[in-house]
Amino acid sequence: MTTLPLRNNEGFLEDADSWTPKVAEEIAAEDSIQLNENHWEIIEFLRGFYKQHEMSPPSNRLFVKAVNEAFGDDKGNSIYLMQLFPGTPAKTACRIAGLPRPTNCL
C-alpha cells in the first residue's frame, strides 16, 4: 500500500497532479471497486475532459452525456456507468480519477 496524496474530507485529491494509476487503484479499493479496462477507459476520458475544460463534468447528467458523445449509447448511459462507479457515477469516477468534485453532484 502506497501513501495516498493529500485528500479532502470527501476523499478527493487536493492536487490533481499528484494522481497516478496506483493512487486510482487504492481509492477504488476503498469503494470495493476492482478497476478493469472499462473503468480505465472512463478514467482516461475524464482526465482528458479535465485537461481540455479545466473542470470535472459538473453533474451526473452532463457526465453521462459526455461519455455518450465519446463512446456511444452502449457506454454513455446511466446504467452502464452506475455498474462501473456505484453511487453517483460522476462523483465516484472523478474521485478515482484524481479530479475535483463535480460542482453539482450531491
Side-chain angles (χ1 to χ4, degrees), residues 78-95:
S78 300
I79 294 168
Y80 176 79
L81 294 169
M82 218 173 280
Q83 288 170 340
L84 291 177
F85 303 102
T88 305
K91 189 174 169 185
T92 303
C94 285
R95 189 173 63 249

Side-chain angles (χ1 to χ4, degrees), residues 12-73:
F12 289 88
L13 295 182
E14 292 287 346
D15 176 12
D17 292 334
S18 63
W19 181 90
T20 65
K22 184 73 181 148
V23 167
E25 289 171 359
E26 294 208 20
I27 294 172
E30 293 173 357
D31 289 332
S32 302
I33 298 170
Q34 178 72 44
L35 298 177
N36 63 37
E37 64 188 38
N38 294 326
H39 293 97
W40 286 112
E41 182 176 55
I42 301 300
I43 290 167
E44 288 165 14
F45 167 76
L46 276 173
R47 291 193 59 82
F49 182 99
Y50 181 76
K51 195 171 196 171
Q52 182 179 356
H53 301 285
E54 298 182 354
M55 62 183 273
S56 299
S59 69
N60 218 51
R61 187 176 61 78
L62 292 173
F63 171 55
V64 171
K65 184 175 185 237
V67 171
N68 185 288
E69 288 172 5
F71 300 109
D73 293 339

